[in-house]
Amino acid sequence: MSGATLLKESGPKEVFCGLTSIVWLHRRMPDAFFLVVGSRTCAHLIQSAAGVMIFAEPRFGTAILEERDLAGLADAHDELNRVVKNLLARRPEIKTLFLVGSCPSEVIKIDLSRVAENLNIELKGQVTVLNYSGSGIETTFTQGEDGALKALIPLMPKSDQKKLLLVGTLANAVEDRLVSIFNRLGIDNVESFPPRQSTELPSIGPETKVLLTQPYLTDTARELKNKGAEIIEAPFPLGVTGSTLWIQAAANSFGIDKSIVDSILNPLISRAKKALEPHVEKLSGKKLFLLPESQLEIPLARFLSNECGMEIVEIGTPYLNRDLMKAEIDLLPPDCRIVEGQHVEKQLDRVRDSSPDLVVCGMGLANPLEAEGISTKWSIEMVFSPIHGIDQASDLAELFSRPLRRHDILNPTKT
Ligand code: SF4
């Protein structure tokens, strides 16, 4: 590993819980339904995080735990069974139903795996019922995707076919572009997990080579490995360098000749570097502080430091998987400070002491920091924006240069 300093911190946290990932998972798999087993607070979170989605036909809902359930006066398992059956009667098009645990369902110890098992027996394959936890006690927001994917893995059929499996939700257009690059390199059998339909799960076996698109899939990666797949070690496809090394790692693993890889990637790299220039001009020399939320913080810091010239004050990450993150940490400048976990008060003190030009943080912290004159960028935007791949590097940089430009406009005397 590079000379980065790795520290741990614990204390009060200020992060979204794993329920939030439903917002992008339900778009990815339109035939799936996510039923949050939680309180009114959980319902409000999902509705406000999903924003405009409540105007569309929703593919998520909440089985509200009422006070009677929470006080143990009702059998919450029976209540949940009833809610699920009503839902499936109303929505026969649902093919996969995820029961998503929350803080309240965990506190009152509803056994969602038992409920799912019983429903699967009763429903006889008409609908597949799965469960995972999105509870804020256990997860930060991107870990919800890790839990949902892990729940799907036992359903993946076995296969001896040689294939490249891209793992982690990507915007469809970005995914199409990346698959087309792999096809041009000569890797024809490329599949994605999660798939675009929950019922079309890719098969898996010893000839499956997994390329992670997102850094927050620790449990999923472990389970895929247990199924015999090989995890290709690479940085993540953010920025020109990360995306190039990511594609090259897959190409190496499939024995593709370097000259072929260079001939396809070099024009993309030149074009992307040119498109990055105006953003580098704005970002270069600016101080960046990343508070922990999405687990994307280390790849983002690597990109913003190495390709955009930003000075990294601190990289916070809610959880650090040293194996999956090794290739990223190796690329960081040697004096970087990475802090795993969170003590939000201490971190905010360090933010104020270091006077950064930009802070990447959760929505809850952004407003107070903006009120203090510190520019911010919401971490959650990174999981909704098409930022992966060589072509997207300038769009990714723009997410960070835009708040600085806005700050300049609002504070003309300070620029
Ligand atoms: Fe809040 Fe927990 Fe519900 Fe998330 S799961 S909205 S943290 S109560």
Side-chain angles (χ1 to χ4, degrees), residues 17 19 39 41-42 45 101-104 134-136:
C17 64
L19 297 187
S39 63
T41 309
C42 309
L45 172 88
S102 65
C103 307
S135 148

CSV table of all heavy atoms in Angstrom, one decimal, residues 17 19 39 41-42 45 101-104 134-136, ligand 1:
chain,number,residue,atom,x,y,z
A,17,CYS,N,-29.2,5.9,5.8
A,17,CYS,CA,-29.2,4.5,6.0
A,17,CYS,C,-29.4,3.7,4.7
A,17,CYS,O,-29.6,4.3,3.6
A,17,CYS,CB,-30.3,4.1,7.0
A,17,CYS,SG,-32.0,4.4,6.3
A,19,LEU,N,-31.7,2.1,3.4
A,19,LEU,CA,-33.0,2.1,2.7
A,19,LEU,C,-32.8,3.0,1.4
A,19,LEU,O,-33.5,2.8,0.4
A,19,LEU,CB,-34.1,2.7,3.6
A,19,LEU,CG,-34.5,2.0,4.8
A,19,LEU,CD1,-35.7,2.7,5.4
A,19,LEU,CD2,-34.8,0.5,4.6
A,39,SER,N,-41.0,2.0,10.1
A,39,SER,CA,-41.9,3.0,10.7
A,39,SER,C,-42.2,4.1,9.8
A,39,SER,O,-41.8,4.1,8.6
A,39,SER,CB,-41.2,3.6,11.9
A,39,SER,OG,-40.0,4.3,11.5
A,41,THR,N,-41.1,7.0,9.9
A,41,THR,CA,-39.9,7.7,9.6
A,41,THR,C,-39.3,7.1,8.3
A,41,THR,O,-38.8,7.8,7.4
A,41,THR,CB,-38.9,7.6,10.8
A,41,THR,OG1,-39.5,7.9,12.0
A,41,THR,CG2,-37.6,8.4,10.6
A,42,CYS,N,-39.3,5.8,8.3
A,42,CYS,CA,-38.6,5.1,7.1
A,42,CYS,C,-39.4,5.5,5.9
A,42,CYS,O,-38.9,5.7,4.8
A,42,CYS,CB,-38.7,3.6,7.3
A,42,CYS,SG,-38.0,3.0,8.9
A,45,LEU,N,-38.5,8.9,4.8
A,45,LEU,CA,-37.2,8.9,4.1
A,45,LEU,C,-37.3,8.5,2.7
A,45,LEU,O,-36.8,9.1,1.8
A,45,LEU,CB,-36.2,8.0,4.9
A,45,LEU,CG,-34.9,7.9,4.1
A,45,LEU,CD1,-33.9,9.0,4.5
A,45,LEU,CD2,-34.2,6.6,4.2
A,101,GLY,N,-35.4,-4.8,5.8
A,101,GLY,CA,-35.4,-4.5,7.2
A,101,GLY,C,-35.0,-3.1,7.5
A,101,GLY,O,-34.3,-2.5,6.7
A,102,SER,N,-35.4,-2.6,8.7
A,102,SER,CA,-35.1,-1.3,9.1
A,102,SER,C,-34.7,-1.3,10.6
A,102,SER,O,-34.8,-2.3,11.2
A,102,SER,CB,-36.4,-0.4,8.9
A,102,SER,OG,-37.4,-0.9,9.8
A,103,CYS,N,-34.4,-0.1,11.1
A,103,CYS,CA,-34.1,-0.1,12.6
A,103,CYS,C,-35.3,-0.6,13.4
A,103,CYS,O,-35.1,-1.5,14.2
A,103,CYS,CB,-33.8,1.3,13.0
A,103,CYS,SG,-32.5,2.2,12.0
A,104,PRO,N,-36.5,-0.1,13.2
A,104,PRO,CA,-37.6,-0.7,14.0
A,104,PRO,C,-37.8,-2.2,13.8
A,104,PRO,O,-38.0,-2.9,14.8
A,104,PRO,CB,-38.9,0.1,13.5
A,104,PRO,CG,-38.3,1.3,12.8
A,104,PRO,CD,-37.0,1.0,12.3
A,134,GLY,N,-31.8,-2.8,5.5
A,134,GLY,CA,-31.4,-1.4,5.2
A,134,GLY,C,-31.3,-0.5,6.4
A,134,GLY,O,-31.2,0.7,6.3
A,135,SER,N,-31.2,-1.2,7.6
A,135,SER,CA,-31.3,-0.5,8.8
A,135,SER,C,-30.1,0.5,9.0
A,135,SER,O,-29.0,0.1,8.7
A,135,SER,CB,-31.3,-1.5,10.0
A,135,SER,OG,-30.6,-1.0,11.1
A,136,GLY,N,-30.4,1.6,9.6
A,136,GLY,CA,-29.4,2.6,9.8
A,136,GLY,C,-28.5,2.2,11.0
A,136,GLY,O,-27.4,2.7,11.2
B,1,SF4,FE1,-34.4,6.0,10.1
B,1,SF4,FE2,-33.6,3.5,10.6
B,1,SF4,FE3,-35.8,3.9,9.2
B,1,SF4,FE4,-33.4,4.4,8.1
B,1,SF4,S1,-34.1,2.4,8.8
B,1,SF4,S2,-35.2,5.7,8.0
B,1,SF4,S3,-32.3,5.2,10.0
B,1,SF4,S4,-35.5,4.5,11.3
